[in-house]
């Protein structure tokens, strides 16, 4: 990809950042839409995060994604924070405004719910309670998305109960912290923990009481079909893998920086999957 002197600039700020799929994803869209732009990895250590974010307007960047471990710091540094990012307590997308001010957004909740709706079009928020496993950064976005979609009750289970209670307090809504990950009665089951990820222990959850019509989704996408999704699929439940959340969360940022709302297609999925295998 050749960029001109007028190229629009964006990137992903992380530490480390070498594992990030975002340059491949945004690079695909830039190519696809013939945009004179570049999206680059920006490796920034924690002690330089404020300098780096503050430098974006001076360097002419349209904005950036923010990833581990900087999402919470980004919330404190930007000039304006959108309400969803405020509730989640993390910023994953920064847009430099016309006035040079930094706007912090969080598109993870959008990415999660859009992937779920596309992957399981028959799922309805009103169908019943959701059981959410985990209370880390990803869980905050997932729970906010489910509350905003109108899910009547979110049963939140986490190994460390205090973190689940803090999440419930911060995000707000019909969230009930539970002390057992009991699938009975749930219309939706979401894993947001790192369990089941390649190199991590499997998620040890008995699905015997899970309703046959319940939808199961995992935000882990390495492997694409986690042991949880495989077990649910074997029982006949509809399952939705986590790759689409990564793809969809990137859409609003790309649109804000490069002026085109990009499409999440099967070909894009294949392209990003090939990158995962590499
Ligand atoms: P992310 O930002 O991706 O959500 P995180 O903030 O590190 O990552 O959260 C990881 C989640 O996986 C947490 O809910 C964590 O549980 P704790 O809050 O109790 O730490 C959960 N998790 C990770 N390893 C786990 C394990 N071995 N058993 C149970 N839960 C685990």
């Amino acid at each position: 990809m050749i960029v001109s002197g007028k190229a629009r600039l964006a990137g992903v700020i992380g530490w480390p950042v070498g594992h990030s799929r975002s340059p491949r994803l945004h690079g695909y869209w830039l190519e696809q839409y013939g945009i004179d732009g570049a999206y680059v990895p920006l490796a920034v250590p924690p002690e330089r995060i404020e300098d780096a974010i503050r430098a974006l307007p001076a360097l002419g960047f349209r904005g950036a994604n923010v990833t581990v471990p900087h999402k919470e710091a980004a919330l404190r540094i930007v000039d304006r924070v959108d309400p969803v990012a405020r509730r989640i307590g993390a910023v994953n997308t920064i847009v430099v405004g016309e006035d040079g001010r930094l706007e912090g957004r969080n598109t993870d909740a959008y990415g999660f719910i859009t992937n779920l709706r596309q992957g399981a079009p028959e799922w309805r928020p009103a169908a019943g309670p959701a059981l959410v496993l985990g209370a880390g950064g990803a869980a905050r976005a997932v729970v906010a998305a489910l509350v905003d979609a109108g899910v009547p009750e979110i049963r939140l289970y986490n190994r460390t109960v205090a973190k689940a209670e803090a999440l419930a307090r911060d995000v707000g809504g019909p969230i009930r912290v539970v002390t057992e990950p009991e699938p009975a009665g749930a219309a939706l089951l979401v894993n947001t923990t790192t369990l089941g990820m390649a190199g991590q222990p499997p998620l040890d959850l008995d699905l015997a009481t899970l309703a046959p019509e319940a939808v199961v989704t995992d935000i882990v996408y390495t492997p694409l079909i986690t042991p949880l999704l495989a077990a649910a699929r074997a029982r006949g439940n509809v399952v939705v893998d986590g790759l689409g959340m990564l793809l969809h969360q990137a859409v609003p940022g790309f649109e804000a920086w490069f002026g085109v709302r990009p499409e999440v297609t099967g070909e894009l999925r294949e392209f990003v999957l090939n990158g995962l295998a590499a």
Side-chain angles (χ1 to χ4, degrees):
M1 174 86 195
I2 311 247
V3 295
S4 82
K6 296 184 192 131
R8 297 179 178 210
L9 302 176
V12 54
I13 301 174
W15 186 257
V17 80
H19 64 280
S20 174
R21 321 294 180 198
S22 294
R24 187 172 170 88
L25 171 53
H26 287 272
Y28 173 93
W29 281 330
L30 287 170
E31 190 85 32
Q32 183 85 4
Y33 297 106
I35 293 168
D36 184 16
Y39 182 103
V40 294
L42 300 164
V44 176
E47 65 274 17
R48 305 302 305 275
I49 187 62
E50 180 148 9
D51 290 346
I53 288 178
R54 285 264 149 234
L56 290 171
L59 291 168
F61 272 62
R62 300 278 177 132
N65 282 126
V66 182
T67 188
V68 180
H70 298 315
K71 290 185 183 186
E72 289 81 17
L75 180 102
R76 292 191 294 274
I77 295 164
V78 295
D79 301 306
R80 286 186 290 256
V81 177
D82 86 1
V84 176
R86 175 80 58 201
R87 269 165 72 218
I88 294 170
V91 159
N92 78 329
T93 303
I94 296 174
V95 178
V96 178
E98 297 286 329
D99 55 1
R101 288 166 73 83
L102 298 164
E103 187 195 323
R105 304 184 189 173
N106 190 304
T107 65
D108 287 330
Y110 165 83
F112 170 76
I113 204 77
T114 307
N115 182 45
L116 177 60
R117 287 189 191 276
Q118 276 194 5
E122 65 284 10
W123 175 77
R124 293 284 175 275
L131 172 62
V132 176
L133 309 176
R140 290 178 163 254
V142 165
V143 171
L146 294 175
V147 169
D148 291 351
V151 171
E153 180 185 313
I154 292 140
R155 300 175 182 166
L156 183 62
Y157 172 80
N158 193 46
R159 173 179 62 178
T160 311
V161 178
K163 269 174 75 180
E165 285 167 347
L167 187 163
R169 213 167 35 241
D170 295 346
V171 174
I175 305 163
R176 190 155 67 84
V177 174
V178 295
T179 51
E180 290 299 329
E182 174 51 63
L188 175 71
L189 169 60
V190 189
N191 175 48
T192 78
T193 74
T194 47
L195 298 172
M197 193 182 283
Q200 300 287 322
L203 175 70
D204 186 19
L205 182 70
D206 185 357
L207 297 181
T209 58
L210 183 69
E213 59 280 4
V215 173
V216 180
T217 184
D218 201 324
I219 68 154
V220 170
Y221 56 83
T222 50
L224 198 55
I225 297 300
T226 59
L228 170 69
L229 294 184
R233 193 152 74 180
R235 299 178 72 254
N237 291 91
V238 170
V239 305
V240 182
D241 70 61
L243 183 62
M245 178 175 174
L246 169 76
L247 306 181
H248 285 287
Q249 64 75 32
V251 168
F254 188 94
E255 182 179 23
W257 308 319
F258 300 116
V260 173
R261 189 162 183 91
E263 247 190 291
V264 172
T265 60
E267 192 185 282
L268 173 66
R269 248 181 89 87
E270 286 306 312
F271 181 77
V272 173
L273 269 178
N274 291 341
L276 294 179

